[in-house]
Amino acid sequence: NAGVTQTPKFRILKIGQSMTLQCTQDMNHNYMYWYRQDPGMGLKLIYYSVGAGITDKGEVPNGYNVSRSTTEDFPLRLELAAPSQTSVYFCASRSTTGAGNTIYFGEGSWLTVV
Amino acid sequence: GQSLEQPSEVTAVEGAIVQINCTYQTSGFYGLSWYQQHDGGAPTFLSYNALDGLEETGRFSSFLSRSDSYGYLLLQELQMKDSASYFCAVRESGRDDKIIFGKGTRLHILP
């Protein structure tokens, strides 16, 4: 049962570097999300996608980009990393049928920008 | 705008009952969910309410009042393993059907 898989789990970036957080799900879910969670805080929605080829901004999209070329994959791109992007990033997915109210989260990616 | 309010921390004794409240203000509303997150882990789904009333799942129950834009999570027979953060989340109605989370309530359980 793979569910939602994120890589890498940990990463240290220097200011100004770029990187991509990978996310893939094997549940054939249409909806996918990227959230960030700062220490002791809640989850902020960065970007989301309602299906392949469709993406939209969430609450805190600045400094990030996404793409959704397939149903399974939803990578998050950080351009010109800044210390404010130090956070834990969670990818998640949700079905639009059946138990469509349940979000399944990946294990998280811990990112530090120094 | 959209906002969800829940207490930042709650403390209870092992074996007791605790209630975590959530009030919300959103532009559209499908339902209210609750998630549990242990330190260092990912959030996991606990319950979902779309209609007014109480939903029970084992030791956990969740309540919704749509007219009051209010819900709560009730945890009974508290165990030490219930020490975690609990998030309410609103599924917004509309074209994109977003899910927005509250800031979370840290539950401390005393022996």
Side-chain angles (χ1 to χ4, degrees):
Chain A
N1 292 341
V4 180
T5 303
Q6 294 179 229
T7 57
K9 193 167 179 69
F10 299 97
R11 181 73 186 268
I12 298 175
L13 274 182
K14 293 185 178 179
I15 294 172
Q17 286 185 321
S18 300
M19 74 160 297
T20 299
L21 297 176
Q22 302 292 343
C23 177
T24 187
Q25 52 94 6
D26 62 359
M27 297 174 281
N28 201 34
H29 287 170
N30 287 328
Y31 283 63
M32 294 190 75
Y33 308 86
W34 274 106
Y35 291 90
R36 61 174 285 173
Q37 185 176 33
D38 298 331
M41 301 295 285
L43 295 144
K44 292 284 190 180
L45 182 63
I46 305 171
Y47 271 94
Y48 63 102
S49 169
V50 302
I54 306 169
T55 62
D56 212 340
K57 297 177 180 179
E59 302 168 275
V60 289
N62 291 345
Y64 307 94
N65 275 300
V66 293
S67 60
R68 184 92 183 273
S69 57
T70 66
T71 298
E72 295 78 20
D73 299 308
F74 191 41
L76 177 72
R77 178 84 176 159
L78 282 74
E79 303 283 2
L80 298 174
S84 61
Q85 293 178 303
T86 294
S87 191
V88 182
Y89 291 84
F90 289 100
C91 180
S93 72
R94 180 169 71 88
S95 171
T96 54
T97 61
N101 305 304
T102 303
I103 296 182
Y104 297 88
F105 286 87
E107 293 185 347
S109 297
W110 274 254
L111 176 66
T112 302
V113 182
V114 295
Chain B
Q2 10 163 266
S3 68
L4 291 91
E5 298 292 330
Q6 50 182 130
S8 58
E9 289 186 276
V10 171
T11 300
V13 179
E14 189 176 16
I17 299 173
V18 71
Q19 178 174 312
I20 300 174
N21 299 319
C22 175
T23 58
Y24 59 87
Q25 183 176 2
T26 59
S27 55
F29 181 83
Y30 270 138
L32 186 71
S33 300
W34 290 92
Y35 287 78
Q36 178 191 60
Q37 185 182 32
H38 287 99
D39 286 346
T44 56
F45 174 80
L46 290 177
S47 68
Y48 177 78
N49 294 68
L51 303 176
D52 287 355
L54 193 68
E55 295 280 343
E56 298 181 64
T57 308
R59 294 188 297 113
F60 294 2
S61 302
S62 57
F63 172 83
L64 175 66
S65 169
R66 295 174 68 109
S67 60
D68 295 323
S69 297
Y70 164 77
Y72 65 73
L73 179 69
L74 191 73
L75 295 82
Q76 303 182 73
E77 301 173 16
L78 284 171
Q79 302 175 9
M80 297 305 292
K81 68 178 181 179
D82 297 329
S83 295
S85 292
Y86 293 85
F87 295 89
C88 59
V90 165
R91 181 183 166 190
E92 295 190 323
S93 61
R95 181 182 72 90
D96 291 336
D97 204 352
K98 291 187 291 186
I99 296 183
I100 304 298
F101 283 77
K103 293 182 178 180
T105 298
R106 180 78 185 191
L107 174 61
H108 302 280
I109 299 177
L110 304 175

